[in-house]
Amino acid sequence: NKVTISVIKADVGGLCGHTLAPDELLEACEAVLEEAVDEIILDYYVTRCGDDIDLIMSHKLGCDNEKVHGLAWKAFEEATKIAKELKLYGAGQDLLSDSFSGNVRGMGPGCAEMEFVERKSEPIVVFCCDKTDPTAFNYPLFKMFADPFNTAGLVFDPSMISGFRFEVHDVVGHKKVFLDTPEEMYMLLALIGDYEKYAIKRVYRRRDNEIAAVVSTEKLNYIAGEYVGKDDPVAIVRAQSGFPAVGEVLEPFANPHFVPGWMRGSHWGPIMPVGEEDATPTRFDGPARVIALGFQVCDGMLIGPNDLFADRGFDKAREKALEMADIIRRMGPFQPHRLPATMMEYTTVPKVLEALEDRFIPLEGLELIEEGGITRKDRGDVE
Ligand code: 13P
Ligand code: 13P
Ligand code: MG
Ligand code: MG
Ligand code: MG
Ligand code: MG
């Protein structure tokens, strides 16, 4: 008796600029989902993080279901109509196609889904972000499922002691690899510490291969074939009895980490955990936000949410994030505030280079150094 949780998100317009999806858009989505209760879905909750709308849905139709994805697409289309009427900024931004064709993947919206047999009690945490991309979850998912200093349960809960399996996607090479912790932890880190290429897609419990977490990893910039934007991500994590406790799922965000995104999707900045009311990024269009909504899944219904980061226990994390924001903002257009060229969402640098092409002059005395003339020694070569 399986239930599916689908979280599908899109940015279809902001009030004003890229700051907020207004109530009118959320209401348009809710009206579409309400119509579909009992027909397609069992229950739903609509929220926003900045200019992104998040549709949290429960149903019995499994992952990648055409009806569920079509429903989300319809909701975003209705919201887009209003966004266009109001001339909201970037109206229809994440709907890259004019018509729906079976599945939202590759069409602009982000999507995280998992199907499971409901446990005696089924706590889940849904994370929704703005002003960052799916690699924002690499660091916290590692902490949740592989770091015993974060998750005491890895040491004390017999059903977690055999560890977790990470499904890592190479979003540039379009391939995936499974890595098991704790044994392959260092190889896992070698990949997921590189945000240019690798993003965690799913985490499984090794003891029984149960799904533990899923992220909307499809990067908009790559699926569209050209650089059209950052896919502000969502994730679902199961908690308690055999999975990390809710507090262990949230704990990685108590010490904010740096993520790509922020202004023009082209800067490093801290990710700040906030309650739903504070998911309103405006300073330099940020800094990046993450909200965490706790639900109890009960016979397929979504009981809740509990707005988990609204807790005062995260006040210090917010303070720290703001301090990190001040520090890195000072760098302006210099790295490491600015992202490497391969990760920037907007850049005029190629045009600048084009304009300067005829003005570059070869450096004298370095003629001997041709391409490939300098070889870097591998660590293994050092005597
Ligand atoms: P309670 O004693 O509040 O039920 O908490 C138990 C627990 O496991 C907290 O992580
Ligand atoms: P979004 O990805 O949230 O639309 O923001 C884009 C941007 O350019 C912010 O400065
Ligand atoms: Mg936007
Ligand atoms: Mg956004
Ligand atoms: Mg975006
Ligand atoms: Mg409900």
Side-chain angles (χ1 to χ4, degrees):
N1 200 8
K2 288 183 167 181
V3 61
T4 307
I5 307 297
S6 297
V7 183
I8 304 184
K9 55 80 39 184
D11 170 354
V12 298
L15 185 173
C16 62
H18 287 285
T19 56
L20 192 75
D23 293 344
E24 291 92 323
L25 303 192
L26 272 65
E27 284 157 15
C29 290
E30 275 165 2
V32 172
L33 298 195
E34 185 61 41
E35 282 274 297
V37 171
D38 297 335
E39 303 283 323
I40 302 172
I41 53 176
L42 293 168
D43 200 3
Y44 67 89
Y45 182 76
V46 177
T47 189
R48 75 187 135 211
C49 189
D51 61 2
D52 288 271
I53 302 172
D54 306 288
L55 313 178
I56 302 165
M57 300 174 283
S58 61
H59 56 92
K60 295 270 181 191
L61 300 174
C63 297
D64 277 329
N65 181 271
E66 183 166 350
K67 284 186 189 158
V68 175
H69 283 231
L71 178 67
W73 186 266
K74 189 173 159 207
F76 292 135
E77 272 187 338
E78 289 304 311
T80 297
K81 279 185 201 158
I82 295 169
K84 286 187 171 156
E85 271 166 37
L86 300 176
K87 292 173 68 179
L88 295 185
Y89 197 74
Q93 175 180 292
D94 286 354
L95 302 192
L96 301 178
S97 169
D98 290 334
S99 56
F100 178 71
S101 61
N103 189 305
V104 296
R105 282 190 297 117
M107 297 181 74
C111 172
E113 295 180 288
M114 55 163 72
E115 186 184 35
F116 50 76
V117 176
E118 206 176 285
R119 291 171 289 168
K120 224 166 40 188
S121 179
E122 185 67 60
I124 62 165
V125 179
V126 175
F127 291 99
C128 307
C129 303
D130 190 30
K131 300 299 176 278
T132 185
D133 82 6
T135 55
F137 286 107
N138 283 10
Y139 172 95
L141 285 174
F142 174 82
K143 302 267 284 187
M144 278 175 226
F145 292 101
D147 179 2
F149 286 79
N150 180 88
T151 298
L154 291 170
V155 181
F156 303 130
D157 181 339
S159 60
M160 280 201 270
I161 211 146
S162 47
F164 288 88
R165 174 164 300 151
F166 289 74
E167 178 184 332
V168 178
H169 285 199
D170 172 344
V171 295
V172 180
H174 292 285
K175 49 192 178 186
K176 62 183 174 186
V177 61
F178 293 89
L179 290 164
D180 289 344
T181 57
E183 296 93 313
E184 299 180 311
M185 174 191 291
Y186 298 156
M187 288 197 279
L188 173 67
L189 287 169
L191 301 190
I192 64 172
D194 178 356
Y195 293 165
E196 285 178 72
K197 247 182 122 173
Y198 300 102
I200 297 171
K201 177 64 188 176
R202 291 184 188 86
V203 182
Y204 299 91
R205 183 169 59 197
R206 282 171 68 188
R207 186 175 59 106
D208 49 9
N209 228 23
E210 270 292 301
I211 183 77
V214 60
V215 184
S216 61
T217 294
E218 299 76 22
K219 279 195 173 191
L220 258 191
N221 44 331
Y222 295 114
I223 57 181
E226 57 178 26
Y227 224 152
V228 294
K230 289 277 188 286
D231 188 3
D232 302 323
V234 292
I236 312 169
V237 179
R238 294 170 83 190
Q240 305 289 151
S241 41
F243 297 113
V246 170
E248 292 167 337
V249 170
L250 304 178
E251 182 65 8
F253 296 92
N255 263 306
H257 59 292
F258 283 109
V259 297
W262 209 344
M263 174 59 72
R264 297 169 192 274
S266 302
H267 294 80
W268 292 107
I271 185 159
M272 182 158 79
V274 292
E276 282 183 290
E277 289 295 306
D278 294 313
T280 55
T282 61
R283 183 194 170 184
F284 199 55
D285 287 1
R289 301 301 148 99
V290 55
I291 59 172
L293 302 179
F295 295 93
Q296 290 287 148
V297 184
C298 172
D299 301 326
M301 303 302 281
L302 297 166
I303 311 302
N306 178 351
D307 189 3
L308 297 163
F309 284 147
D311 177 28
R312 297 221 25 208
F314 287 93
D315 282 355
K316 248 190 144 168
R318 292 186 264 276
E319 289 273 312
K320 273 187 267 187
L322 294 177
E323 210 156 296
M324 290 160 78
D326 275 343
I327 292 168
I328 201 153
R329 272 298 300 126
R330 276 187 234 154
M331 296 303 292
F334 290 82
Q335 290 184 353
H337 189 19
R338 126 153 87 173
L339 288 176
T342 53
M343 294 173 77
M344 284 173 85
E345 183 175 320
Y346 295 72
T347 178
T348 54
V349 174
K351 291 221 167 69
V352 172
L353 287 174
E354 221 173 276
L356 292 179
E357 207 184 329
D358 300 334
R359 291 171 55 186
F360 274 101
I361 302 158
L363 295 176
E364 278 158 44
L366 290 174
E367 294 82 1
L368 289 177
I369 302 170
E370 285 164 14
E371 212 175 313
I374 305 171
T375 53
R376 205 175 62 182
K377 282 196 166 178
D378 289 325
R379 282 301 287 173
D381 295 341
V382 178
E383 274 121 82

